[in-house]
Amino acid sequence: MVTTVSRVLNRVSSPADLRTLNDEELSALASEVRELLVQTVARTAGHLGPNLGAVELTIALHRVFDSPTEPILFDVGHQAYVHKILTGRAGQMPTLRQTNGISGYPSRQESEHDWIENSHASTALSYADGLSKAYDIRGERRPVVAVVGDGALTGGMCWEALNNIAASDRPVIVVVNDNGRSYAPTIGGIAEHLAGLRLRPGYERVMGTVKAGLPRVPVVGPSLYEALHGMKRGVKDVLAPQGMFEDLGLKYVGPIDGHDRRALEAAFAQARGFGAPVIVHCVTRKGFGYAPAENDEADQMHQSAPFDPATGAVVAAPPRRWTEVFADELVALGERRDDVVAITAAMCEPTGLGAFSRRFPERTYDVGIAEQHAMTSAAGLASGGLHPVVAIYATFLNRAFDQLLMDVALHRLPVTVVLDRAGLTGDDGASHNGMWDLALLGVIPDIRIAAPRDEPTLRAEFHEAVEIEDGPTVVRFPKTPLPAEIKAVRSVNGVDVLAEPGPDALVDVLVIAIGATAADTLQASRAATDAGYTVRVVDPRWVTPVNPQLIEFSRHARLIVTVEDGVAVGGAGSRISQAVRAAGVTTASREVGIPTQFLAHGKIADVRMKAGLTATDIGRRIVEWSALVQRAETDTLSTADSEAIDTA
Ligand SMILES: Cc1ncc(C[n+]2csc(CCOP(=O)(O)OP(=O)(O)O)c2C)c(N)n1
């Protein structure tokens, strides 16, 4: 177990230290890094496969390029654990992704070696393009390195950037970390082209023969590494234009065995010396050196929950998630309706499309990491008479906003967008929280958004959504485990009443719970009841359009409090408040939601606490606001009394 940093790794506190090590030490270092990766992620959870595959590549980059003067940018950043280890953070690895610990992505706060931290894919080449332009204008000749996976390379932004990079003479070095996979195998023409380069005569044959003869061990040792290392050094690493890249006007180096550090270093040095834009194509294996990851068919332990390092087996059975319910319903829907098709942006299994894709492969489209294209392609499918279901994580919807607005909604096309991981997601940090969707979607004319609160409402609302054929619908649900069923005490014109003193009662507070906040909101409302206020808790089920019944309920309350797990500014609550005011109802209203901040990574419970969104926080605020309203009413009454006396 390497929680105390050992041996060679002990001597590496910055990339400069790497340049003092000999071959043997560097091989030992690679093994130690892998051991540390496995032991760390086994406890903290996180991205394992991508990092195991990038060990030699990252060591070689840091030996050839002088980071941070020569920036190394990691696309997505989920494969940057090795970079963290080599840039002075090995000792902090046990805190990876933990509250107040180091981030699971590069972090500008953590290190001058970390340049970008957004973790949405396919941006590194654009950053590199811009950085190199800046250096150019400032008269500095500094190479900029962008490390991009074959998966991220399917994203359109990469090609927009390459279009500019190729037309310049600035030293942008695009290192393609090609493991043939995103989560699952990368699909599409670009992937096929890369595969074509990778499969040039001789390359795969050598790799295959070597790999077949190797003993399987849980964590790679120097001998295994050396075997590959030695055998692969015959593979060509020529500086030569190749097909697609040549057509773009880019120089191409490769394919390089991405686990042969010396070959990598030679290629990087060659690219660096070239002094102009160049692609270095490195072929790696996701999960390399750790048998359970290499053998994991689903995603090569792309992102793992805590596991037993000896076997790779996940230690705790995962709780039942919203995703599984959606997955179930989608298959059932596919059986009933042959016009339903499913689209994923390279996240088939994580977004719950796996079962549907196996049952209806001809009706499932993996478009690559290309949310924008996914949405407009869905518009095309809908124009052609089908009903597409686009399944993406809420945070990645940001990418496809304009496409949903203009290409889908403006055309009133029946596309159902299913947003997983809506609300706080916690340990993946600021860029992964699904907290913007309600605010963004709220400005789309006539869009219909459902926010289920539990399993039965998810099933029901998804079905209602796909029945709508005259415009887009959205169904959003969180990452947190499914709560117990929350039964409505009654339902009025589509609004579920979850708690109330009685059907006709005028209440002190109308609490409107959006989607999965229902459980906490009910708990919070009990605090208000305990404090002596009468409370009605409702779930509108559909966030937009605002249900007129909410306005009716508002007329029978002294205060309205909305609760949502998205940004409060411009969110569902503010929309409801506006609708209430527009209807001439003067009931005071307050909105509980996520503050407009980039929230640091941590356990969801900790992040929720920092955001003031626990049941206790919500309860306290409801009580405080109720007291304010009561006081204001008393003040108004006493002012009215004194006015009456004055004028008497
Ligand atoms: C815009 C966007 N969509 C989806 C994701 C989720 N995601 C994270 S890593 C990944 C696969 C990346 O594949 P690749 O770039 O080949 O890197 P690898 O993990 O194979 O090293 C995906 C789809 C993301 N980060 N950004």
Side-chain angles (χ1 to χ4, degrees):
M1 170 120 181
V2 191
T3 43
T4 54
V5 179
S6 65
R7 305 178 303 253
V8 184
L9 197 44
N10 252 348
R11 290 158 36 204
V12 176
S13 58
S14 83
D17 299 326
L18 293 173
R19 289 173 215 129
T20 66
L21 303 177
N22 62 29
D23 273 352
E24 199 186 334
E25 289 166 326
L26 287 162
S27 296
L29 177 70
S31 297
E32 290 174 29
V33 166
R34 283 205 166 82
E35 178 83 17
L36 180 57
L37 288 171
V38 170
Q39 296 297 344
T40 300
V41 181
R43 282 194 324 97
T44 65
H47 289 99
L48 185 62
N51 283 289
L52 289 168
V55 174
E56 287 78 21
L57 186 143
T58 312
I59 293 174
L61 280 173
H62 275 299
R63 275 169 55 84
V64 173
F65 294 94
D66 183 21
S67 172
T69 308
E70 300 177 357
I72 303 173
L73 315 177
F74 291 91
D75 202 284
V76 183
H78 64 307
Q79 77 293 56
Y81 297 180
V82 186
H83 161 82
K84 291 194 178 219
I85 291 170
L86 302 180
T87 52
R89 287 167 276 179
Q92 289 163 269
M93 285 302 279
T95 71
L96 185 75
R97 291 157 50 91
Q98 310 304 301
T99 307
N100 302 323
I102 59 170
S103 162
Y105 296 92
S107 158
R108 287 154 61 86
Q109 233 186 332
E110 280 173 25
S111 170
E112 59 178 355
H113 295 280
D114 293 8
W115 287 81
I116 53 176
E117 57 182 58
N118 74 348
S119 89
H120 284 206
S122 317
T123 62
L125 273 55
S126 299
Y127 274 113
D129 176 59
L131 258 177
S132 72
K133 283 173 176 158
Y135 294 149
D136 201 29
I137 285 201
R138 290 158 50 131
E140 298 171 32
R141 198 77 185 160
R142 288 158 67 171
V144 180
V145 180
V147 180
V148 61
D150 55 293
L153 206 53
T154 58
M157 266 182 85
C158 283
W159 297 88
E160 295 168 31
L162 278 176
N163 187 40
N164 286 183
I165 291 168
S168 82
D169 62 352
R170 291 183 299 273
V172 174
I173 291 134
V174 178
V175 174
V176 178
N177 172 17
D178 176 11
N179 54 28
R181 304 184 69 98
S182 298
Y183 277 67
T186 306
I187 51 79
I190 293 157
E192 279 167 26
H193 183 82
L194 285 175
L197 294 175
R198 199 188 310 147
L199 295 175
R200 286 191 328 187
Y203 182 83
E204 197 61 19
R205 189 160 31 82
V206 176
M207 194 70 165
T209 320
V210 176
K211 293 289 288 183
L214 289 173
R216 299 273 110 188
V217 290
V219 177
V220 75
S223 58
L224 174 59
Y225 176 71
E226 280 306 325
L228 278 169
H229 188 82
M231 287 294 289
K232 286 305 320 319
R233 208 166 303 122
V235 177
K236 282 200 277 181
D237 54 344
V238 290
L239 188 61
Q242 292 290 325
M244 175 174 68
F245 297 113
E246 180 189 33
D247 292 343
L248 273 170
L250 280 162
K251 291 284 178 235
Y252 170 93
V253 180
I256 312 296
D257 173 0
H259 300 294
D260 182 336
R261 184 194 42 79
R262 274 189 279 180
L264 287 165
E265 283 184 27
F268 294 151
Q270 197 177 10
R272 187 173 181 278
F274 190 57
V278 55
I279 299 255
V280 185
H281 181 190
C282 307
V283 180
T284 58
R285 285 181 194 262
K286 206 159 183 166
F288 185 79
Y290 179 58
E294 287 194 46
N295 297 335
D296 176 28
E297 287 207 0
D299 63 8
Q300 250 118 46
M301 296 183 77
H302 176 92
Q303 181 159 25
S304 180
F307 61 92
D308 173 359
T311 62
V314 170
V315 286
R320 193 163 146 72
R321 292 194 184 281
W322 301 74
T323 319
E324 291 163 47
V325 177
F326 159 62
D328 243 34
E329 283 301 317
L330 185 64
V331 173
L333 179 69
E335 301 287 359
R336 280 203 317 279
R337 282 177 52 176
D338 58 12
D339 65 326
V340 169
V341 293
I343 303 180
T344 172
M347 298 182 73
C348 191
E349 293 294 338
T351 58
L353 296 192
F356 185 90
S357 73
R358 284 182 285 280
R359 179 73 187 84
F360 306 108
E362 71 294 347
R363 287 201 259 151
T364 310
Y365 301 99
D366 179 347
V367 297
I369 309 181
E371 288 80 5
Q372 306 180 30
H373 161 58
M375 200 63 79
T376 305
S377 175
L381 283 158
S383 304
L386 300 177
H387 192 117
V389 174
V390 181
I392 49 181
Y393 282 6
T395 185
F396 302 136
L397 172 74
N398 300 1
R399 281 283 169 91
F401 172 75
D402 187 57
Q403 288 71 13
L404 182 53
L405 177 69
M406 294 300 171
D407 306 334
V408 178
L410 177 71
H411 295 75
R412 309 196 75 81
L413 290 167
V415 173
T416 297
V417 182
V418 174
L419 298 179
D420 203 325
R421 302 331 196 235
L424 295 175
T425 56
D427 35 27
D428 274 317
S431 60
H432 269 62
N433 287 309
M435 56 192 257
W436 294 280
D437 60 321
L438 289 174
L440 284 174
L441 292 169
V443 298
I444 298 181
D446 299 328
I447 194 153
R448 279 158 284 198
I449 309 166
R453 66 175 181 272
D454 59 7
E455 178 169 344
T457 52
L458 169 55
R459 291 187 192 276
E461 289 165 32
F462 176 60
H463 277 275
E464 291 165 29
V466 291
E467 287 303 312
I468 293 172
E469 294 294 344
D470 62 349
T473 48
V474 176
V475 181
R476 68 166 329 250
F477 50 80
K479 176 186 182 185
T480 42
L482 268 169
E485 183 179 340
I486 302 166
K487 285 219 161 65
V489 292
R490 64 183 175 123
S491 209
V492 195
N493 298 323
V495 175
D496 282 354
V497 179
L498 306 182
E500 62 181 351
D504 300 320
L506 172 77
V507 289
D508 293 317
V509 200
L510 171 69
V511 184
I512 302 174
I514 304 298
T517 66
D520 280 347
T521 303
L522 273 171
Q523 198 188 323
S525 302
R526 284 193 278 278
T529 312
D530 292 348
Y533 298 103
T534 53
V535 184
R536 172 174 289 122
V537 183
V538 300
D539 167 12
R541 302 176 78 257
W542 286 83
V543 179
T544 63
V546 174
N547 189 319
Q549 184 60 42
L550 290 181
I551 295 166
E552 283 315 302
F553 280 134
S554 303
R555 293 186 205 279
H556 297 93
R558 293 195 167 85
L559 168 70
I560 307 159
V561 177
T562 57
V563 184
E564 65 194 292
D565 55 355
V567 281
V569 173
S574 69
R575 194 185 173 99
I576 293 168
S577 299
Q578 283 174 13
V580 167
R581 279 201 303 281
V585 180
T586 53
T587 310
S589 60
R590 293 287 184 279
E591 297 92 32
V592 176
I594 301 176
T596 311
Q597 283 171 14
F598 291 114
L599 300 163
H601 65 274
K603 293 271 160 276
I604 290 188
D606 295 336
V607 180
R608 186 176 290 141
M609 211 169 339
K610 278 191 194 144
L613 273 185
T614 64
T616 313
D617 295 322
I618 301 167
R620 196 192 56 248
R621 286 153 89 176
I622 295 174
V623 170
E624 282 170 10
W625 287 329
S626 300
L628 273 178
V629 168
Q630 201 174 42
R631 210 175 312 136
E633 280 179 1
T634 319
D635 288 351
T636 315
L637 278 180
S638 50
T639 315
D641 281 354
S642 50
E643 276 170 7
I645 293 161
D646 287 347
T647 52

